[in-house]
């Protein structure tokens, strides 16, 4: 028979510890801070999984402690809990209730007093106890039957104290911890103890005399004399301090083990609560924490028939069924994450609720499965039917894998991942969406595959496992489409989704499949030359210091800079003093080696990130470089790219330009770039309707020179390069909520000059200031900001009581409508350009989108047609109060386009 184990949780201590240990975490849309709730729930799940207690209970403080009556200064130094923390306690109570744990609170007592009493009562019944707390005072409760568990340095870790460990840690037994603290005091609770007596001295005294009482019975035997005198002078404080730190064990509360039985948790309420709070990552841990209990049933999945199609006859029946459908949810299981190199393991299809199908085509060792070619040919008529709507989660991946295998998926009507991103969802995994939108716990395929050394390939899964998982996924995808479609309509985002985001999917698919040509020979040569430069910089750094050291070791570098060269020290880190780039920039010019290191790091990063990495990423099938364009990677709506990230190639500087030389056009073709000129500022002019700002663009003036002329009060012809540079910094900085400090850091201006310039700027562009203030007001009132096309960014943190969090949120609020509108403009242009190029049957293809630039690969005989098309479509993508200007450049490679 299993021994009873009672888990007692100090609610207040654990919540406070979590709040200070974990980074800010807010509920989507509402902005409610929940980091302490998350930490509390996460720790409970961890401990429940590890200990498997038979009984559980939680205690909280209630009201002023009786200790305040004994000592007016008790905890007086503690500030009132911030609103971000105190507002989380009601949610913590809800979590405790959903976990099925009784919560004990007794007026006038702290949580550890309640726990002390409950642990005593449990021990008297022979029950083992573990107290989970962040309060070291609980060490006095340790006994042969009672252990104390505390979070480690990393909140997710725990340390368990038994009698021997308390003795080892404090040098005294658990029953003497109150004596120890009575002598040394406890600053965290403002308990005085004896001045000048620290932990080591207190421990020695307790070891020698046994207790505070024993000490004062033989105080004349204490040496040295100075310590003896101190003890005599502060006897009252020592006795009183011991009384204050002693946990009460006679609180009027009664332990009812039956009521504390573990496992009586409310699964539905807990799931609902986790959904509301966005704690999707905690879901897999529920089954571990509550395993082998009656309430721990299998996660609910949609009811319906799941069919595995493995024969020609089954395929014929499936095709007959699909011919009757109006829409189809589809998912391809690929052999790997990269669509440009993935093979096909299986295909999931769902034509309606209650029925879904899985076609295994690439499972290892499976004798009865359809050949891939037969399956694709059978599905061709259905999947290439432009009248049937296709629905998917990350449908671009599915469509691209199929396209590489000769089948074009037409009428991509709904991508649940893209829709969820447009709705402002932060967790975009299918599992998270199924839980947050449908309340369903899904086990995605990725969890079946495992991680690390134990990971298996999709093709190695048992077909029954894969079929059940994929059939469930496609059915949930169809249900998500309905839920998200309704939300898009309600939030008036339907047109943006259906007219911009979904039409963009086939454009990006085409671009990813096309890829871009790369001169790998040039990159290898640049890498070789840069390797020599790095060697030279290394040797120069050694000469400047006087000995060899590892430039890539932060510890060795810290010793060289701060101990040997005695340069001004930065903040302390685990390995010494910081050597990060921002710190070294402040040291630039103080010693030649600093410049060596900064240049070395810049070159080393470029070499590893681009010169060495890009040639290795060239696809062996196509001989070209293929990046992935992501619609869900940014909060502003801008596209991002990954594997590799081509948007991070340095824009300025010789090195960035040389890397761009390696992006080339094949023989007989050229690259053409259409680049929006100062699009963010033009959008700002439209949004603010500032006459001066609009006038500069309407007259096609140099906007930075025009700003400098206005602010500095000089004619345009007398604007100096320095004046223009400052004006340019502010023009672009305004969009990011630039402060006086930011302008000071970006220019040679003093703080006072920066303040004056910003003040003058807004005097000359008053409607810009009005627009910025109205945007802040809209964000504070609505909790979101939006672009001209209605794209939203939810920023509930604008109402945070934390000043730093609020200011950062306000900067995001200012920036998003401008950057987001710019993103919408280029997306509209991409969709229209792709449509027209397809209609005209052009061989030219769009190959890259980087920042505000579109790059095309164009045959010589189509150059003029594509150039005129770009100049027609891009400036008219969205009608603004000022013209959208597009610069067109042509060249054999990206670096020399003119």
């Amino acid at each position: 028979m299993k021994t009873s184990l009672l888990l007692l949780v100090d609610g207040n201590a654990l919540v406070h510890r979590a709040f200070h240990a974990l980074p800010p975490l807010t509920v989507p849309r509402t902005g409610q801070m929940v980091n302490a709730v998350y930490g509390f729930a996460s720790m409970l799940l961890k401990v429940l999984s590890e200990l498997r207690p038979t009984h559980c209970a939680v205690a909280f403080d209630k009201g002023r402690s009786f200790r305040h009556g004994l000592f007016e200064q008790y905890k007086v130094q503690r500030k009132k809990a911030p609103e971000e923390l105190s507002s989380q306690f009601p949610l913590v109570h809800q979590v405790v209730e959903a976990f099925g744990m009784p919560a004990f609170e007794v007026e006038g007592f702290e949580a550890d007093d309640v726990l002390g009493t409950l642990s005593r009562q449990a021990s008297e019944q022979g029950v083992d106890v573990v107290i989970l707390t962040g309060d070291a005072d609980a060490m006095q409760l340790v006994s042969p039957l009672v252990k104390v568990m505390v979070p480690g340095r990393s909140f997710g870790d725990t340390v368990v104290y038994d009698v021997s460990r308390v003795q080892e840690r404090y040098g005294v037994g658990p029953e003497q911890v109150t004596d120890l603290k009575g002598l040394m005091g406890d600053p965290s609770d403002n308990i005085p103890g004896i001045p000048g007596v620290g932990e080591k001295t207190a421990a020695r005294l307790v070891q020698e005399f046994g207790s505070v009482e024993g000490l004062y019975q033989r105080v004349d035997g204490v040496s040295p004399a100075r310590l003896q005198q101190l003890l005599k002078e502060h006897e009252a404080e020592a006795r009183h301090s011991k009384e204050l730190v002693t946990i009460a064990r006679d609180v009027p509360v009664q332990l009812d083990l039956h009521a504390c039985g573990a496992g009586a948790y409310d699964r539905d309420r807990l799931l609902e609560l986790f959904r509301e709070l966005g704690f999707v990552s905690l879901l897999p841990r529920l089954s571990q924490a509550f395993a082998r209990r009656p309430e721990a049933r299998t996660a609910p999945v949609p009811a319906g028939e799941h069919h595995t199609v493995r024969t020609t006859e089954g395929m014929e029946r499936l095709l007959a069924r699909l011919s009757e459908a109006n829409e189809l949810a589809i998912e391809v299981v690929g052999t790997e994450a990269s669509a440009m190199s993935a093979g096909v393991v299986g295909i999931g299809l769902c034509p309606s609720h209650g029925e879904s199908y899985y076609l295994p085509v690439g499972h290892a060792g499976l004798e009865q499965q359809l050949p891939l070619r037969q399956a694709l040919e059978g599905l061709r008529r259905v999947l290439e039917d432009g009248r049937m709507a296709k629905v998917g989660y990350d449908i671009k991946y599915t469509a691209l894998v199929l396209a590489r295998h000769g089948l074009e998926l037409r009428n991509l009507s709904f991508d649940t991942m893209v829709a969820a991103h447009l709705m402002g969802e932060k967790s975009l995994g299918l599992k998270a969406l199924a839980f947050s939108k449908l309340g369903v716990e899904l086990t995605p395929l990725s969890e079946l595959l495992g991680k690390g050394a134990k990971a298996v390939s999709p093709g190695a899964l048992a077909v029954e496992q894969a079929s059940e998982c994929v059939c469930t996924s496609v059915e949930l995808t169809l249900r998500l489409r309905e839920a998200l479609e309704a939300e898009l309509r309600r939030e008036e985002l339907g047109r943006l989704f259906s007219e911009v985001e979904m039409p963009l999917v086939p454009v990006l698919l085409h671009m990813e499949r096309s890829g871009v040509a790369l001169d790998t020979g040039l990159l290898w040569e640049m890498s070789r030359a840069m390797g020599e430069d790095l060697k030279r910089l290394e040797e120069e750094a050694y000469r400047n210091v006087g000995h060899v050291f590892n430039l890539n070791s932060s510890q060795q570098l810290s010793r060289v800079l701060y101990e040997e060269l005695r340069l001004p020290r930065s903040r302390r880190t685990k390995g010494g003093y910081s050597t990060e780039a921002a710190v070294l920039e402040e040291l630039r010019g103080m010693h030649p080696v600093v410049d060596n290191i900064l240049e070395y790091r810049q070159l080393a990063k470029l070499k590893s990130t681009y010169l060495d990495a890009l040639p290795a990423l060239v696809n062996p099938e196509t001989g070209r470089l293929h990046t992935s364009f992501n619609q869900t990677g940014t909060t502003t709506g801008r596209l991002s790219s990954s594997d590799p990230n081509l948007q991070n190639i340095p824009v300025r500087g010789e090195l960035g330009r040389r890397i761009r030389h390696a992006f080339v056009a094949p023989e007989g073709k050229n690259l053409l770039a259409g680049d929006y000129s100062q699009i963010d500022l033009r959008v700002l002019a439209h949004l603010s309707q500032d006459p001066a700002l609009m006038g500069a663009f309407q007259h096609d003036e140099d906007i930075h020179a025009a700003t400098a002329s206005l602010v500095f009060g000089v004619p345009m012809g007398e604007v100096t390069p320095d004046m223009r540079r400052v004006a340019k910094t502010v023009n672009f900085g305004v969009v990011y909520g630039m402060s006086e400090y930011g302008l000071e850091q970006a220019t040679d201006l003093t703080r006072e000059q920066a303040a004056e310039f910003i003040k003058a700027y807004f005097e000359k562009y008053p409607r810009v200031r009005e627009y910025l203030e109205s945007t802040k007001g809209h964000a504070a009132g609505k909790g979101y900001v939006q672009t001209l096309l209605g794209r939203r960014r939810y920023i509930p943190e604008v109402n945070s009581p934390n000043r730093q969090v609020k200011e950062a949120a306000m900067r995001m609020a200012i920036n998003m409508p401008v950057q987001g509108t710019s993103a919408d403009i280029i997306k509209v242009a991409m969709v229209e350009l792709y449509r027209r190029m397809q209609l005209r049957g052009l061989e030219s293809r769009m190959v890259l989108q980087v920042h505000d630039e579109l790059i095309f690969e164009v045959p010589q005989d189509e150059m003029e047609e594509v150039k005129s098309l770009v100049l027609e479509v891009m400036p008219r993508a969205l009608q603004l109060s000022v013209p959208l200007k597009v610069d067109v450049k042509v060249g054999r490679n990206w670096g020399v386009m003119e």
Side-chain angles (χ1 to χ4, degrees), residues 633-840:
T634 69
T635 52
T636 60
R638 284 189 178 274
L639 293 173
S640 62
S641 85
S642 57
D643 304 317
N645 181 355
L646 298 181
Q647 300 192 336
N648 269 2
I649 297 176
V651 175
R652 298 177 182 83
E654 176 63 20
L655 285 172
R657 190 176 66 82
R658 285 169 60 196
I659 292 171
R660 281 175 163 75
H661 273 76
F663 291 80
V664 298
E667 195 64 37
K669 298 181 181 181
N670 275 314
L671 296 182
L672 180 149
D675 189 3
Y676 280 111
S677 173
Q678 299 165 338
I679 186 171
D680 285 354
L681 291 177
R682 293 171 190 269
V683 169
L684 178 62
H686 174 86
L687 291 172
S688 67
Q689 290 293 296
D690 186 274
L693 197 56
M694 288 194 298
F697 286 121
Q698 287 163 349
H699 296 105
D700 199 21
E701 296 174 351
D702 177 340
I703 186 61
H704 305 312
T707 296
S709 172
L710 276 175
V711 176
F712 285 108
V714 298
M716 285 275 283
E718 295 179 19
V719 171
T720 66
D722 280 344
M723 290 177 179
R724 185 183 183 279
R725 183 171 56 83
V726 173
K728 180 178 180 179
T729 301
V730 175
N731 272 335
F732 287 119
V734 162
V735 182
Y736 296 92
M738 176 177 273
S739 64
E740 299 160 7
Y741 173 77
L743 181 57
E744 177 193 19
Q745 294 298 305
T747 63
D748 295 328
L749 299 179
T750 65
R751 180 71 64 88
E752 292 73 21
Q753 289 171 328
E756 282 300 316
F757 191 93
I758 290 176
K759 179 183 176 185
Y761 179 94
F762 285 121
E763 286 175 353
K764 300 301 180 181
Y765 296 131
R767 295 290 293 275
V768 172
R769 180 191 286 278
E770 290 175 20
Y771 163 72
L772 298 180
E773 293 304 316
S774 69
T775 300
K776 291 179 186 178
H778 183 278
K782 299 284 189 179
Y784 66 85
V785 288
Q786 61 187 36
T787 67
L788 279 176
L789 293 187
R791 182 186 305 278
R792 293 181 181 180
R793 179 177 182 182
Y794 291 90
I795 316 177
E797 294 85 359
V798 293
N799 294 312
S800 170
N802 183 300
R803 184 178 61 83
Q804 289 181 317
V805 171
K806 182 173 183 174
E807 288 177 355
M810 282 300 184
R811 287 193 293 272
M812 296 176 200
I814 289 170
N815 172 251
M816 190 275 170
V818 176
Q819 272 215 357
T821 297
S822 298
D824 289 344
I825 288 171
I826 202 163
K827 285 180 175 179
V828 169
M830 291 170 73
V831 169
E832 182 61 14
L833 282 166
Y834 177 76
R835 187 183 71 83
R836 297 226 202 159
M837 290 167 71
Q838 292 290 102
L839 282 174
R840 297 185 187 192

Side-chain angles (χ1 to χ4, degrees), residues 390 394-400 403 408-415 418 497-515 629 631 639 827 830-835 838 845-847:
K390 312 303 188 307
D394 190 12
I395 201 170
K396 176 160 63 71
Y397 176 88
T398 287
L400 184 49
E408 183 179 354
L409 190 62
R410 291 197 174 99
N411 191 5
L412 311 180
S413 71
F414 205 98
D415 188 319
V418 173
F497 177 76
S498 61
E499 296 179 12
V500 179
E501 291 297 341
M502 283 313 300
L504 185 63
V505 173
V507 180
L508 299 180
L509 187 157
H510 185 267
M511 292 170 66
E512 289 182 19
R513 192 177 181 198
S514 294
F629 292 100
Q631 287 170 269
L639 293 173
K827 285 180 175 179
M830 291 170 73
V831 169
E832 182 61 14
L833 282 166
Y834 177 76
R835 187 183 71 83
Q838 292 290 102
R845 47 189 175 181
M846 197 184 309
V847 292

Side-chain angles (χ1 to χ4, degrees), residues 66 76 90 139 166 223 247 265 284 292 294 312 338 345 391 393 416 460 489 609 652 701 706 784 816:
F66 70 90
V76 73
M139 298 304 169
V166 172
S223 61
I247 292 175
Y265 80 112
R292 298 190 300 275
T312 300
S338 170
V345 173
V391 179
Y393 171 84
T416 54
R489 281 197 304 269
T609 306
R652 298 177 182 83
E701 296 174 351
Y784 66 85
M816 190 275 170

Side-chain angles (χ1 to χ4, degrees), residues 7-21 40 43 47 59 61 75 78 111-112 115 130-139 141 147-155 157-159 161 170 181 186 188-189 247:
L7 173 66
L8 294 175
V9 181
D10 185 334
N12 284 77
L14 204 59
V15 169
H16 277 83
R17 189 74 173 264
F19 178 77
H20 293 291
F40 180 86
M43 181 59 77
V47 174
D61 299 346
K75 294 186 177 181
R78 293 195 184 180
D112 52 8
L115 297 178
V130 172
I131 298 173
L132 176 61
T133 180
D135 191 344
D137 286 347
M139 298 304 169
L141 301 177
K147 295 182 177 69
V148 168
M149 176 183 280
V150 297
R153 288 192 175 184
S154 169
F155 184 76
D157 300 330
T158 54
V159 181
Y161 285 85
Y170 293 98
K181 291 205 167 191
D186 187 348
S188 66
D189 289 341
I247 292 175

